[in-house]
Amino acid sequence: MSIIYLKFVEGNLMHQSFNEWYSLKNGIASLPTTITNYKSRNSSSSVTVAGNVTFDGGADITQRGIVWGKGFNPELSDNTISLGNGAGSFETQII
C-alpha cells in the first residue's frame, strides 16, 4: 500500500512541477500555495497561528495574513491581521 501511495505522490509532484514550469514560461500566474496552522493556545482568549507562503504562483504576493471569524468560512470583512507581503513564514497572536 505504501508503494502505491508513494508513486501517487511522486506523480502528483511531477504533474504540479510541469504545470508550474509551463505557467511561468508562458507568463501565466497560478494560485499561490499557502500553509496555515494553529500553533498553540496561550490562554482562554488567545491563540498563536502561523502560515507560510511556499509558492508565489509566478506573481508578487502583495499581502499576507490571517482572517478569522466566529463561524465557518470567514471573509475579509471579518477580523483580519495583515502580516506583510512576499513568500515566507509569518506568525501572530489572536486575542
Side-chain angles (χ1 to χ4, degrees):
M1 182 66 164
S2 62
I3 293 173
I4 293 170
Y5 177 73
L6 179 61
K7 292 298 178 188
F8 171 77
V9 171
E10 288 174 358
N12 192 32
L13 290 175
M14 290 174 64
H15 178 74
Q16 181 179 357
S17 296
F18 176 79
N19 283 340
E20 289 174 7
W21 168 82
Y22 178 83
S23 296
L24 291 174
K25 179 178 182 250
N26 293 296
I28 303 168
S30 53
L31 291 175
T33 304
T34 305
I35 300 167
T36 57
N37 63 350
Y38 163 83
K39 296 279 286 192
S40 64
R41 181 177 176 175
N42 304 327
S43 69
S44 62
S45 61
S46 148
V47 296
T48 299
V49 294
N52 187 10
V53 179
T54 58
F55 173 67
D56 64 13
D60 292 336
I61 304 295
T62 58
Q63 188 174 14
R64 63 182 188 194
I66 302 293
V67 177
W68 81 97
K70 292 183 180 181
F72 291 104
N73 299 322
E75 297 181 7
L76 291 175
S77 60
D78 292 327
N79 304 296
T80 62
I81 297 176
S82 182
L83 297 166
N85 55 30
S89 299
F90 54 94
E91 184 174 307
T92 191
Q93 183 178 10
I94 298 174
I95 299 175

